[in-house]
Amino acid sequence: LASREKKPETVYKSRKRALLRAFPAGRERETALSHVDMLPGRYLLTMNASQVKRHLKLVDTLEKRKFVVGSKRGKRSTEFTFCTMDKPFRLSQLCGVLTLNDCNILFAHAFTRIDGKVLDIFRVEDVTGTMPIDDVRTEKIRNDLDSVLSGKLAIQAALTEHLAKWKRRKNDVIPVPLEVEFDNDTSADVTIIDIFTLDRPGLLFKITRALSEAGLTIHRARISTEANRAIDSFDVQDKRGEKVTGTHGLRSIRRRLEEALL
């Protein structure tokens, strides 16, 4: 994906043309064009036409609500798409609500339009791997998110209590040392933070909260797991919308992550 993003602008134009062909000429295509033009190029590289159509419906519905949740159930996992306005700690709140409802996050994409609307896409499965994410749980996710955004539910306190039942004993797993790596060469616009650590429930909430506490905006998250080792990658910018290049800033981020995860 990184190598594709380095290619000339013609790559994005080609992807855009192919995607827009899925929309009837006229108003629908113009709406789709306006939508993708408000998002970073990586949106074109990772989303297909059917996903874009679902996202447009969510964005349209958001005009009347403070958030919208879309879901698409697959054979082994469920895709949740959250559409809301961008706010500090928003991604960590979404991760927390999913964890609170026993969802294991397989991967995530976080996109922000230039008008402040965010589209955060999560592929999840039941934390035990034995149960589907049914309509009842989906509705609870919506209700819990409403409670979090309205201030009725303190997500960090709720998670601390909830995760106690999933806490693993130290001798049950092979230790995985925490590694934090920074990449300022691959992208001209964002700092890429790669985090390697022990996979456990609530991990993505802790990471995203720590990054938000460091004053960072998360533009994309890529989540993967090998055995009990989590390999998570985040594209971030500072409060000025720039990469984090100073030694002091990078050390501060590393320290916050270590405090959250060790």
Side-chain angles (χ1 to χ4, degrees), residues 74-86:
K75 291 182 179 180
R76 298 182 179 180
S77 60
T78 298
E79 181 181 283
F80 281 105
T81 303
F82 297 90
C83 182
T84 183
M85 297 303 297
D86 191 24

Side-chain angles (χ1 to χ4, degrees), residues 68-256:
V68 188
V69 182
S71 64
K72 187 176 187 298
R73 193 179 305 164
K75 291 182 179 180
R76 298 182 179 180
S77 60
T78 298
E79 181 181 283
F80 281 105
T81 303
F82 297 90
C83 182
T84 183
M85 297 303 297
D86 191 24
K87 298 286 184 181
F89 297 93
R90 181 64 82 231
L91 184 57
S92 68
Q93 290 172 330
L94 300 178
C95 295
V97 167
L98 289 172
T99 302
L100 191 62
N101 284 275
D102 291 335
C103 293
N104 181 36
I105 300 171
L106 303 175
F107 73 75
H109 291 289
F111 300 105
T112 304
R113 301 198 335 172
I114 60 175
D115 62 356
K117 295 182 176 69
V118 298
L119 287 164
D120 292 342
I121 302 105
F122 297 84
R123 175 70 63 178
V124 308
E125 64 179 4
D126 177 70
V127 72
T128 65
T130 62
M131 300 172 60
I133 309 297
D134 57 17
D135 293 339
V136 174
R137 196 179 332 185
T138 298
E139 186 60 26
K140 186 175 182 300
I141 288 171
R142 290 192 176 96
N143 292 335
D144 285 348
L145 180 57
D146 183 60
S147 297
V148 170
L149 298 187
S150 63
K152 297 178 182 178
L153 177 64
I155 187 63
Q156 190 164 18
L159 272 179
T160 299
E161 180 180 353
H162 179 76
L163 291 176
K165 69 177 183 179
W166 295 112
K167 190 173 183 181
R168 302 171 182 171
R169 295 179 179 177
K170 292 183 179 180
N171 58 1
D172 287 338
V173 294
I174 299 174
V176 177
L178 172 64
E179 299 177 47
V180 179
E181 299 180 359
F182 299 100
D183 177 1
N184 271 316
D185 298 324
T186 299
S187 171
D189 303 314
V190 299
T191 295
I192 300 173
I193 304 176
D194 293 320
I195 302 170
F196 308 85
T197 187
L198 176 68
D199 185 37
R200 65 269 201 188
L203 174 63
L204 191 53
F205 169 77
K206 292 179 180 179
I207 293 175
T208 53
R209 185 174 181 83
L211 294 178
S212 293
E213 288 175 343
L216 301 175
T217 298
I218 302 170
H219 290 284
R220 180 172 61 189
R222 184 173 63 84
I223 312 304
S224 58
T225 306
E226 292 180 358
N228 66 330
R229 186 178 189 237
I231 307 170
D232 299 342
S233 180
F234 301 86
D235 292 4
V236 304
Q237 290 180 329
D238 62 18
K239 294 179 179 179
R240 298 171 297 177
E242 300 176 355
K243 295 198 295 184
V244 184
T245 56
T247 302
H248 176 74
L250 295 175
R251 285 178 178 173
S252 177
I253 295 169
R254 184 186 300 276
R255 185 171 61 252
R256 283 186 179 273

Side-chain angles (χ1 to χ4, degrees), residues 44-80:
L44 284 170
L45 299 181
T46 53
M47 298 294 117
N48 57 42
S50 61
Q51 289 173 306
V52 173
K53 289 179 179 179
R54 293 198 300 271
H55 297 167
L56 284 170
K57 291 180 180 179
L58 295 177
V59 170
D60 185 59
T61 306
L62 184 64
E63 300 298 331
K64 304 174 183 178
R65 306 178 186 177
K66 58 185 175 183
F67 73 90
V68 188
V69 182
S71 64
K72 187 176 187 298
R73 193 179 305 164
K75 291 182 179 180
R76 298 182 179 180
S77 60
T78 298
E79 181 181 283
F80 281 105

